[in-house]
Amino acid sequence: MWLGTQCVNAQGHLEIGSCDAVALAEQFGTPLYVLDEEALRARCREYRATFAALKQDVTIIYAGKAALNRAICQIIAEEGLELDVASGGELYTALQAGFPRERIHLHGVYKTDDELRMALEAGIGAIVLDNFEEIARLRALAHAHNRTVPVLIRIAPEVEADTHPLIRTGQRDSKFGFHWLNGDALLATEQVLNAPELHLKGFHCHIGSQISDLSAFQAAAHAMVAFAAAVRQQLGYTAPLLNLGGGLAARYTPDDQLPSIQAYAETLVQALRTACQQHNFPEPALAVEPGRSLIAEAGITLYRVGAVKRVPHDHPHLPREYLIVDGGISDNPRPQLYSARYTARHVSRASAPHDRPYRIMGKHCETDPIIDCALLPETRAGDLIAILTTGAYAYSMSSNYNRYPRPAMVAVRAGTARLIVVRETYEDVIRHDQ
Ligand code: LLP
């Protein structure tokens, strides 16, 4: 499984962005996040071109929670995408990177007054409203600042996507958005339409993440158009925009069955058109908010193996040879949180047959498998391994657990490696201790 610009070079080493991964590890140390800049840019272009060929008025908004730093903001801005930020910290990052303000959208189930004020003062493109308290607080702030704020209203479309329960967000018991069944969504729309401080741009939904069954997106599109049509009938407001969120799956293992961006785009646009015809609703502009499917496959993590252990367990499905590497839960908590699966590659013997089963364990003070059964060539202490598809929700969910400093991140492209996030130091780890 090779992704983006990954390949094997003449030395038999893993190469990414035309950079030798052994050399990257030597120059920048391990663990190391490596971002394949060309792969990320190509994916941005593919998203834009695919949707543009099907529908004229589509906006692609990168969901920054997947991975955000100033360099990534700049890449996303250069590729002409908009940006979804989910917190004051993400907004601050975008503003510091000079991301065009009118292309920023603020999300969140509890945006504090400080976060709302920051968004308001920056004059961002839209705030996506999530609850009644927020409508009241934003109105008061907008009033005090004498501003009219562009907003969308987040709706829970009651679609249960087939994914890990912790990353499902549009189902009936979801904490996100306004529900239609209990009347909240309609009431929120009425409140916003009657608020002179708010300008309603349309409706938003997001049903979850790592979704490969396109019928869930189809169902969400239908639910959103049905809701917009009900609003039109009952309140006389015709939504000019529907943002259907992100959620398309990325490839983590060779046996992942994934729809293409083409199939995803066709499904969304077709569902939108069919639903609009059924409800006699004028076709609105469309926005999508991919995070993972834009950046996950562009990232890898390089680790160095510190020990190889033969463990005398009798579990039939787990390898008995364990590799202990110099990272784990603090740089990628996804295996623990969601039982996420990954693929490993031996870095210096990348073209050797990967047929020997290993359990790859992190170095933290708990049982923290990174991959339960990874296939690699014979691997020894000191060897480098790469975990693929760590571009999304790895650095962004990292921690200082066990007081490990966070790794560095380099962006590689056309044979050049650019340090975009420096490695934390022990000084950084104690920086806030009093
Ligand atoms: N829009 C909204 C409002 C979202 O909440 C999310 C993700 C996205 C877009 C982007 O979804 P994506 O295209 O990346 O699936 N930490 C979890 C994933 C949480 C996703 C949260 N929301 C994980 O590591 O799997």
Side-chain angles (χ1 to χ4, degrees):
M1 183 176 93
W2 296 120
L3 301 166
T5 67
Q6 293 161 19
C7 62
V8 182
N9 66 16
Q11 288 77 46
H13 296 177
L14 169 64
E15 191 174 281
I16 177 167
S18 303
C19 292
D20 185 312
V22 174
L24 289 174
E26 270 157 22
Q27 186 180 350
F28 298 101
T30 53
L32 182 68
Y33 297 103
V34 183
L35 179 68
D36 182 344
E37 185 171 341
E38 198 50 49
L40 171 59
R41 288 182 183 272
R43 209 70 171 159
C44 291
R45 289 179 202 145
E46 185 184 351
Y47 251 105
R48 286 187 68 192
T50 307
F51 273 95
L54 296 169
K55 181 168 160 62
Q56 193 191 12
D57 44 4
V58 182
T59 309
I60 313 293
I61 306 170
Y62 169 60
K65 66 209 78 185
L68 205 70
N69 52 53
R70 290 196 288 191
I72 291 176
C73 284
Q74 276 150 13
I75 294 170
I76 295 299
E78 280 168 21
E79 292 301 332
L81 272 60
E82 307 214 347
L83 179 65
D84 141 16
V85 294
S87 69
E90 290 183 7
L91 176 56
Y92 184 79
T93 307
L95 294 174
Q96 289 296 313
F99 199 94
R101 294 156 181 236
E102 66 288 355
R103 279 158 53 191
I104 302 177
H105 307 244
L106 177 64
H107 278 279
V109 71
Y110 179 8
K111 308 171 193 74
T112 63
D113 279 356
D114 282 345
E115 289 173 320
L116 290 174
R117 199 175 296 113
M118 195 169 156
L120 206 124
E121 284 169 0
I124 68 166
I127 294 178
V128 184
L129 294 167
D130 185 274
N131 53 69
F132 289 112
E133 290 81 352
E134 191 171 88
I135 296 178
R137 288 189 294 112
L138 183 60
R139 284 193 64 179
L141 284 168
H143 189 77
H145 281 70
N146 200 16
R147 289 271 178 94
T148 307
V149 186
V151 297
L152 275 84
I153 298 176
R154 180 163 179 169
I155 309 295
E158 308 233 348
V159 171
E160 185 137 343
D162 182 15
T163 187
H164 192 283
L166 295 181
I167 53 176
R168 226 178 252 153
T169 51
Q171 74 286 10
R172 182 165 295 180
D173 67 3
S174 173
K175 70 171 183 177
F176 294 100
F178 294 94
H179 290 254
W180 187 10
L181 265 191
N182 62 5
D184 281 358
L186 213 57
L187 187 59
T189 309
E190 196 172 9
Q191 284 188 7
V192 170
L193 289 172
N194 289 330
E197 308 85 358
L198 306 178
H199 167 60
L200 184 58
K201 292 177 71 175
F203 299 110
H204 170 277
C205 75
H206 172 71
I207 57 173
S209 201
Q210 187 60 9
I211 298 166
S212 41
D213 173 12
L214 292 178
S215 66
F217 296 112
Q218 209 169 25
H222 276 272
M224 292 298 282
V225 173
F227 174 70
V231 167
R232 185 172 201 229
Q233 202 178 30
Q234 294 178 45
L235 304 175
Y237 168 79
T238 307
L241 168 70
L242 291 182
N243 178 335
L244 298 180
L248 183 62
R251 178 171 304 285
Y252 288 88
T253 68
D255 36 70
D256 285 345
Q257 298 291 323
L258 296 187
S260 62
I261 292 178
Q262 179 73 35
Y264 169 68
E266 280 170 9
T267 301
L268 281 193
V269 172
Q270 195 50 52
L272 183 73
R273 291 198 170 131
T274 309
C276 286
Q277 273 161 15
Q278 281 169 3
H279 292 275
N280 197 18
F281 188 82
E283 186 179 314
L286 172 67
V288 287
E289 245 167 19
R292 189 194 308 270
S293 56
L294 270 172
I295 203 166
E297 294 172 16
I300 65 171
T301 307
L302 300 179
Y303 296 110
R304 199 171 289 280
V305 176
V308 184
K309 282 192 184 174
R310 268 167 237 286
V311 178
H313 70 73
D314 51 12
H315 197 293
H317 302 299
L318 289 178
R320 293 193 179 85
E321 277 192 294
Y322 285 23
L323 301 179
I324 316 291
V325 301
D326 56 356
I329 186 171
S330 63
D331 59 76
N332 182 1
R334 300 193 68 258
Q336 272 74 20
L337 278 175
Y338 318 114
S339 308
R341 296 173 63 224
Y342 284 92
T343 300
R345 280 271 155 192
H346 196 285
V347 174
S348 62
R349 269 177 290 134
S351 57
H354 282 48
D355 53 8
R356 192 173 167 127
Y358 288 101
R359 193 170 188 208
I360 304 180
M361 302 299 256
K363 65 177 174 180
H364 298 82
C365 302
E366 58 184 277
T367 299
D368 58 345
I370 297 172
I371 302 181
D372 268 333
C373 184
L375 295 176
L376 290 165
E378 188 180 353
T379 301
R380 302 189 192 94
D383 288 0
L384 290 165
I385 60 163
I387 304 293
L388 308 187
T389 323
T390 58
Y393 306 111
Y395 196 106
S396 66
M397 296 180 79
S398 66
S399 73
N400 288 124
Y401 182 46
N402 289 157
R403 300 233 121 184
Y404 284 118
R406 284 181 179 78
M409 188 184 294
V410 291
V412 291
R413 190 188 195 193
T416 305
R418 178 164 64 105
L419 185 62
I420 60 172
V421 183
V422 299
R423 185 176 300 282
E424 288 181 352
T425 61
Y426 290 131
E427 256 315 297
D428 291 325
V429 172
I430 62 159
R431 185 167 307 280
H432 302 291
D433 294 0
Q434 297 292 308

